[in-house]
Amino acid sequence: MIRKFLILSPVLLLLGCGASQTIASAEAQPIAVSIDLVDVQDDRVSVTMDPGEFTQNEIYFYIPKIVPGTYSEDNYGKYIDGLTAYDYDGSILPVNKVDDNSWLFTNAQKVDKISYFVNDTFDTETEVEEPVFSPAGTNILKDENFLLNLHGFVGYFKGLKETPYTITIKAPASLEASTSLKQINTGSSNKGENIYVANRYFEVIDNPILYALPNSVTFQIKDISVTLSVYSPDGSLKAKDLQPKIETMMLAQKNFLGDINGTKRYTILLYLSRLSATDATGFGALEHHSSTVVVFPEQIPREILEESMVDVVSHEFFHTVTPLSVHSREIQYFDFNEPKMSMHLWMYEGTTEYFSMLFQIQQGLISEAEFYSRIMDKITNSMGYDDTMSFTAMSKNILEEPYKSNYANVYEKGTLINMCLDILLRELSGGEKSVPWLMKELSAKYDVDTPFNDPDLIDEIISMTYPEVSDFFAQHVIGNEPIPYDQYLKKVGLEVTFVEQPGTYFFVGQEPYIDANPANLDAIFIRKGMDLNSFFKDLGAKGGDIIKNINGTDITLESMRGIVGQSFGWDALKDISMRVERNGVLLELKGKAGTPTYKERSLDVEETPSAAVLALREAWLKQ
């Protein structure tokens, strides 16, 4: 999720599928995993797995290809070195590496254990074109810090994702472990060794662990025990310093959710990055059923950190409603290496982000003016994506282009879909029904163990509500019609107005009017869906135009960077010629550089709204 300087991940954590019961001779016997954080060699951690006795000749072993919630194929197997299988006499068995993330054991009946080394992902973030999103990544810093997103350390055997796991971790005695994973040796005299248990593989990857110098605080939010653990490289930020803001926020969230209960325990793991070449660079969070990993730069000012933690952690905590509770079969039976995606990101991320805004105004954490400002930010940001793309089609095909590059719109337009649906439901029901009401009803029917059928959800929502809701989904969620936000906001007495503002040639604020094709970075185009500034409009340029040449310079990524830099010194009378390709046709556009202006949207309150409008706005903002 991109919010100002943040990239959130937004955030789904998905459930594992059912397993065959014929592969191992003792299915109830846990797969035993040992992770050594003490004897770190070449910045790598040693992992050993004892899977029990196999009864077949061949077995596949996997490290996840994709981490649910990031919507990117990160191939965590690339960070595994030296995977070796041993028989019961300690001799090495042949292993066939099939691809980055899978290995085939052809003498499975002889396998006693396997071992391998794990490299951390933080070290590579500045080296690769598409790095692993930091909150989904791993860090190995000997004797100081270990961020264990366990999908990067522990794999699974084909057909055995439902088998229990026992994970023994040997760590420096000076470091404290924070996690929601169940620990069975609490109070043990063997300091530095922790033994955790999981009922199945999903529980392993659903519970990240942070090892750091002791810096945590635990507090109670009604029936939820919350632990906040902080890794601060210079030791300046204490968990107790952030507790008041987090405690106030989560209490407000519980009041907003009412009797929708997701978890009795919640762990917040905050990692602060030094921003060095081998440290985290992707800032935001990844959610889990009972925890979240948050990554921010260490240099972030305290006031901004607290505000960002409220926005980010509130989003992640609301994921306990969806998709961690209300979710489809695609999520319940997720395949970590050959995933099939759900069509309902409008709900998983859109509803979650909408709730993270709505609860703050309803619980008095932000003012109406701030709430309206955030709505306008969402509207403006959404225009930077393809506004005619079907949201359900995008969601179903989110791992592929052109849908992949529109993913971040789930946090922008996804929020606005829920806002408009919320206003519509409240209007049609006289204030009795709303999106929070809808999620409460769905939560009563679907839960962690009961998924819905993906193609049936929207029809089910329509049957619970009104025919007008059918039209809304058909046109703006399944269909490709842009949402007329002004019409929905007018229902609650708000008006979208435009004010002409001075700007720059190629940017509106921090948002560029141009972008590069991911498949060919030298193909620079004008982004669709954006309200272009006077510079582009006066030239006659349109969204989707591919820029071929500007003032005699052929356009590549590098030459475009140079032209953007030069543009800050352009004179208004400078002649501009721009050759573009539009629908396969080359066009020559000419004009003056001019003084660029853009229309800034603002949201204003109507001066004399009707009583019905006032009542609807009151219901929207207060309950």
Side-chain angles (χ1 to χ4, degrees), residues 213-288:
L213 293 174
N215 187 5
S216 64
V217 61
T218 299
F219 49 92
Q220 198 73 17
I221 301 293
K222 294 190 174 182
D223 58 345
I224 302 177
S225 177
V226 179
T227 296
L228 170 63
S229 183
V230 177
Y231 168 65
S232 174
D234 65 6
S236 62
L237 181 68
K238 304 301 181 184
K240 61 181 179 60
D241 297 333
L242 293 175
Q243 178 183 346
K245 281 278 189 180
I246 298 297
E247 194 167 357
T248 298
M249 173 201 73
M250 296 192 74
L251 179 59
Q253 287 185 281
K254 283 293 291 179
N255 290 335
F256 174 83
L257 290 174
D259 55 5
I260 300 178
N261 291 308
T263 181
K264 299 296 183 184
R265 182 180 182 185
Y266 201 76
T267 303
I268 302 166
L269 307 177
L270 172 59
Y271 180 99
L272 297 179
S273 170
R274 292 183 174 93
L275 294 182
S276 67
T278 57
D279 211 343
T281 59
F283 305 126
L286 180 70
E287 93 285 356
H288 304 266

Side-chain angles (χ1 to χ4, degrees), residues 311-375:
D311 288 343
V312 172
V313 176
S314 64
H315 176 98
E316 305 310 323
F317 181 74
F318 277 131
H319 271 305
T320 60
V321 179
T322 185
L324 301 181
S325 179
V326 181
H327 58 263
S328 71
R329 295 174 184 270
E330 283 76 4
I331 292 175
Q332 179 79 12
Y333 306 115
F334 189 81
D335 189 325
F336 299 100
N337 287 75
E338 295 295 336
K340 294 179 176 61
M341 310 309 289
S342 168
M343 66 175 66
H344 297 297
L345 278 173
W346 70 269
M347 181 177 71
Y348 302 145
E349 295 298 343
T351 302
T352 301
E353 179 66 5
Y354 178 60
F355 278 6
S356 74
M357 289 171 49
L358 187 65
F359 97 96
Q360 293 192 58
I361 181 63
Q362 288 194 0
Q363 299 298 315
L365 299 184
I366 59 175
S367 66
E368 286 190 27
E370 174 61 21
F371 182 62
Y372 299 152
S373 175
R374 294 186 183 192
I375 290 172

